[in-house]
Amino acid sequence: MDASHGRDALGWTMARTSGLLLGQDTVDAVLRLLTATALHTVPTATGAGITTSAPDGSRTTAVGTDRTVLAADAVQYELDEGPCLTAWRHRRTVRVDDVAHDERWPRWGPAASALGVASSLSAPLVAADSAVGAIKLYAPGPSAFTAEAEATMAMFAAQAGVLLAAAEGFRRGADLDADLRQVLHRRDLVARATGFLMGQDGVSEDAAFTHLLALARRDRRGVHDTAAELLGARPRGR
């Protein structure tokens, strides 16, 4: 799945989610829509889920597409280790090509393998300065996720985190209009920065977006912050 298709799917999800929020549907509907779109965007995945905080502060799977997702997540919470928790804590995308032999999580890996999971891809859901959760994909075969899928997932999660925060804010009676304006502003920043790199470097949209993600990873910053800095540094008249 190429990055442009991922952006198309994300744009559709954002429009659909805005309608759900304005119609006062539940946050659960937003989460189900996000996981379904993540599976559509990265078709090598067979399961998806979103981890958020429970009312008591513990980690919980707010929505999972199947029992394997719920079981693999439950082991992460029980052991307090795993790729999804790492993605949340360190605010970075985490790809696992072979869970059974990945030494980063010596207890979770074999347990997840026994459940039928071989690969995973997790990304943090970040809004403003707060990580509000993580989204993850699982697959039964090793090396199911490519570097391109990793970049697409990072882009998807960057927007999904703001949407999730907006949905939670709406449920708490926060100002939805302000949240949605922030969502649109952040999308515009990324689109403008991508366009700027296309013109500056003479490359395709996908190449420009990949370059933007690489800059964000290099500087260990969010893609929106990187886009804003890039546009702020843009010479006048260009």
Side-chain angles (χ1 to χ4, degrees):
M1 182 67 61
D2 61 34
S4 61
H5 184 91
R7 284 193 288 280
D8 290 343
L10 180 58
W12 178 87
T13 301
M14 292 184 67
R16 180 75 182 277
T17 302
S18 298
L20 287 170
L21 293 174
L22 293 172
Q24 299 190 17
D25 285 289
T26 65
V27 173
D28 289 342
V30 176
L31 298 176
R32 287 195 297 271
L33 185 59
L34 288 172
T35 52
T37 306
L39 284 177
H40 176 71
T41 304
V42 185
T44 52
T46 56
I50 293 178
T51 296
T52 59
S53 293
D56 63 0
S58 63
R59 303 307 189 225
T60 184
T61 302
V63 60
T65 57
D66 57 57
R67 293 181 180 179
T68 300
V69 171
L70 297 175
D73 282 358
V75 176
Q76 289 198 63
Y77 310 146
E78 179 182 353
L79 300 176
D80 194 31
E81 70 170 44
C84 183
L85 295 180
T86 297
W88 187 344
R89 288 166 178 162
H90 298 285
R91 300 189 186 187
R92 60 181 176 86
T93 305
V94 177
R95 190 178 85 199
V96 186
D97 294 326
D98 187 350
V99 301
H101 298 96
D102 196 304
E103 298 179 352
R104 288 175 289 182
W105 308 283
R107 295 179 296 167
W108 178 82
S113 179
L115 293 171
V117 173
S119 304
S120 76
L121 183 60
S122 307
L125 300 175
V126 179
D129 295 327
S130 301
V132 296
I135 186 168
K136 84 296 303 273
L137 301 173
Y138 292 129
S143 301
F145 305 113
T146 63
E148 184 178 31
E150 185 176 351
T152 299
M153 190 67 168
M155 177 272 296
F156 183 89
Q159 304 292 349
V162 182
L163 285 173
L164 177 58
E168 291 285 1
F170 181 71
R171 185 167 62 177
R172 295 191 302 267
D175 182 358
L176 177 64
D177 288 339
D179 288 330
L180 288 179
R181 281 197 297 272
Q182 183 183 46
V183 171
L184 295 175
H185 174 65
R186 286 176 171 234
R187 281 196 71 200
D188 183 59
L189 279 176
V190 173
R192 287 166 53 205
T194 300
F196 171 62
L197 290 173
M198 289 172 64
Q200 175 181 265
D201 301 335
V203 297
S204 67
E205 181 182 3
D206 288 347
F209 182 74
T210 300
H211 184 193
L212 182 63
L213 287 176
L215 291 174
R217 285 195 294 267
R218 182 197 67 189
D219 298 335
R220 297 186 178 181
R221 303 179 65 185
V223 66
H224 300 107
D225 293 335
T226 301
E229 181 178 17
L230 180 66
L231 293 170
R234 175 179 174 177
R236 293 189 179 184
R238 283 204 62 164

